[in-house]
């Protein structure tokens, strides 16, 4: 089933072609309800091609538009805008035709999967296993998870790749420190437990910086590790597995699943990538691959230093060692050649912009990535404190993500207790139920607050805002869903058993307003999948929750359980059910679980 936006776009395209023109229909959701539900301003762009004034062209287009089954007669406004207002009977038919939740199509709210499913890699989270996850890992983890969920929902095959940092000189230091302070690890590496990874790293680094003997010992350990010494590798593996256990406790709380594939996974492929480049250097004389100051470098057009000199991408250092560029090229080759990816999305902070531009250019220049593969750096801004400064502890260190989630749950528990005193939240929660709801609400608040911000901007981390029971927040969305479910319990109604063939009656302005928002669910999810912008979904859910609040309001809205007739009651209960299902599905795509009571 096409979304309303897609259907109007097709109809508009047909009208454009009917008058002998070609161009983008430019159909968009109207920003002002006074001008209808959707709007097209294509007449302005096509006027020059047609040799007419925009308003005259708009009139010709309207003559050829065939939308009477969807809309009231289109209106022309201003210099040539074409406004569409959906017919109530069309909305009733569209929403009434959504199958019950017991059917697969009903669980998707009638939204079809992509006609052209692809294999997609989403590169997300990717912490350094030498340390604990901190607040800086939040955005990549939850944004990447949301993007993966939406693409999976649309029918794509998605690999959620956690490209963890598990290789390099720092691991030689950590293994050497382990052997010094816990020598028993050499005999029983599988029994390794480290309660505080961050403190362990700081202790090792402090010793490395002040003790020359230990520094030498660490460097020798790196050599043994890279040469594949079995004993050193066993201890290194045990450390990485212990660090990953710390990470997966966080992932479990966030509801995130992924495939751990660290830098070490690609060590052999890095050798192969360098060998391929060496062959190119021997055969080509265009300067793409060449030796510079003893290092093997790639030079792509368009990349310059501040002085205007060609900017190299070093793939093998003068001492023969590899770096992030080598690892990332090998990873990219693996994803294209072994996983068969046709779309690769790197969810990484904005400061890495140039690195990914060079990486993508190098891979295409080398011929390893063709035009049929999309490479996308999904960049995002930083998390700041309430005053707009970098989010750090009082001591100036990185804020552990575990501590953030713990505090979120504690604060959510206080919000629940306060809401209970005010009568807004269920008073009958047992202590165990309150803990469960607090965990879900607290985690949801952190995730939703992050996802509600535009990716390309920094945002200020604000506990009071994210945990508010009002506004565009997770607690309010969860409350809105739970409130609808409580309507069913109050009326002795099982939403799932409502007759699927009962017609929707959309007459009251609040009914129509809610129906219009519900009708946009499909196109919103499609837009998130296309543009990779989770905040489009949070904005939609906020609008939906507000529309339902007005619908159910005693003064602005309608009576539901005590509706004037059984037919109207059933119709309004079906609208309640569709709203709850849209909220639950939308929150699920954000990686947020709902609660039935709150």
């Amino acid at each position: 089933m096409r979304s309303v936006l897609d259907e109007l776009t097709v109809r508009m395209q047909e009208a454009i072609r009917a008058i002998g023109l070609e161009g983008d229909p430019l159909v968009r959701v109207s920003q002002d309800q006074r001008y209808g539900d959707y709007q097209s301003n294509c007449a302005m762009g096509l006027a020059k091609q047609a040799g007419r004034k925009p308003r005259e062209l708009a009139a010709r287009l309207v003559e050829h538009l065939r939308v009477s089954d969807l809309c009231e007669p289109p209106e022309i406004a201003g210099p040539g805008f074409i406004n569409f207002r959906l017919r109530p009977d069309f909305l009733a038919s569209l929403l009434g035709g959504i199958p019950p939740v017991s059917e697969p199509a009903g669980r998707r709210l009638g939204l079809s999967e992509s006609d052209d499913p692809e294999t997609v890699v989403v590169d997300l989270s990717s912490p350094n296993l030498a340390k604990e996850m901190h607040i800086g890992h939040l955005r990549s983890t939850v944004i990447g998870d949301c993007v993966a969920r939406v693409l999976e929902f649309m029918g794509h095959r998605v690999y959620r790749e956690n490209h963890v940092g598990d290789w390099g000189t720092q691991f030689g230091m950590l293994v050497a420190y382990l052997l010094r302070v816990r020598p028993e690890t050499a005999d029983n590496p599988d029994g390794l437990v480290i309660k505080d990874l961050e403190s362990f790293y700081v202790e090792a680094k402090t010793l490395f910086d002040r003790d020359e003997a230990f520094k030498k010992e660490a460097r020798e350990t790196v050599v043994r590790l890279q040469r594949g010494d079995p004993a050193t590798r066993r201890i290194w593996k045990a450390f990485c597995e212990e660090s990953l256990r710390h990470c997966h406790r966080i992932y479990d709380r966030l509801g995130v699943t992924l495939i751990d594939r660290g830098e070490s996974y690609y060590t052999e492929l890095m050798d192969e990538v360098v060998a391929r480049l060496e062959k190119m250097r021997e055969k080509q004389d265009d300067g793409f691959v060449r030796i510079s100051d003893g290092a093997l470098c790639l030079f792509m057009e368009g990349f310059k230093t501040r002085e205007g000199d060609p900017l190299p991408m070093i793939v093998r250092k003068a001492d023969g060692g590899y770096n992030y560029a080598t690892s990332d090229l090998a990873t990219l080759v693996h994803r294209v050649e072994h996983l068969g990816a046709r779309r690769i999305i790197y969810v990484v902070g904005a400061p890495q912009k140039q690195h990914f531009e060079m990486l993508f250019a190098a891979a295409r220049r080398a011929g390893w990535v063709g035009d049929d593969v999309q490479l996308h750096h999904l960049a995002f801004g930083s998390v700041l404190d309430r005053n707009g400064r970098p989010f750090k502890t009082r001591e100036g260190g990185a804020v552990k993500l575990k501590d953030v989630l713990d505090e979120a749950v504690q604060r959510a528990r206080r919000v629940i207790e306060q809401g209970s005193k005010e009568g807004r939240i269920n008073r009958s929660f047992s202590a165990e139920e309150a803990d469960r709801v607090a965990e879900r609400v607290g985690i949801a608040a952190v995730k939703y607050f992050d996802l509600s911000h535009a990716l390309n901007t920094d945002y200020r981390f604000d506990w009071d805002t994210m945990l508010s029971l009002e506004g565009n927040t997770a607690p309010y969305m969860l409350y809105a869903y739970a409130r609808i479910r409580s309507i069913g319990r109050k009326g002795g109604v099982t939403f799932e058993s409502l007759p699927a063939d009962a017609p929707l009656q959309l007459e009251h302005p609040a009914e129509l307003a809610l129906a219009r928002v519900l009708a946009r669910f499909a196109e919103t999810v499609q837009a998130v999948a296309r543009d990779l912008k989770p905040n489009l979904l949070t904005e939609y859910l906020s609008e939906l929750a507000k529309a339902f609040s007005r619908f159910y309001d005693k003064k602005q809205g309608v009576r539901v359980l005590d509706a004037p007739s059984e037919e109207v009651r059933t119709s309004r209960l079906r609208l309640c059910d569709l709203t709850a299902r849209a909220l639950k599905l939308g929150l699920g795509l954000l990686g947020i679980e709902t609660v039935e009571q709150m």
Side-chain angles (χ1 to χ4, degrees), residues 449-462:
F449 190 70
D450 188 290
L451 294 168
S452 66
H453 289 84
L455 295 185
N456 59 354
T457 61
D458 299 339
Y459 75 83
R460 300 187 182 196
F461 195 89
D462 188 322

Side-chain angles (χ1 to χ4, degrees), residues 221-258:
T221 305
V222 171
V223 174
R224 292 199 303 274
L225 179 62
Q226 293 179 341
R227 287 179 177 173
D229 174 66
T232 306
R233 282 286 180 100
R234 278 199 306 273
I235 299 169
W236 162 79
K237 182 181 178 183
F239 179 89
C240 290
E241 288 176 348
E242 171 64 1
S243 183
L244 277 170
R245 281 191 285 272
H246 284 253
C247 293
H248 278 274
R249 292 188 195 110
I250 299 291
Y251 295 141
D252 289 345
R253 293 183 75 182
L254 291 172
V256 173
T257 58
L258 27 64

Side-chain angles (χ1 to χ4, degrees), residues 259-297:
I259 301 168
D260 300 318
R261 227 189 293 264
E263 293 175 56
S264 61
Y265 181 86
Y266 304 98
T267 50
E268 292 183 6
L269 191 50
M270 282 190 263
D271 291 335
E272 182 183 328
V273 162
V274 169
R276 291 188 193 184
L277 292 172
E278 284 284 19
K279 286 184 179 179
M280 288 184 195
R281 185 170 70 89
E282 294 170 3
K283 294 180 179 179
Q284 300 174 359
D285 58 1
D286 59 2
F288 167 53
V289 186
R290 63 178 187 261
I291 301 295
S292 177
D293 294 328
L296 182 66
C297 301

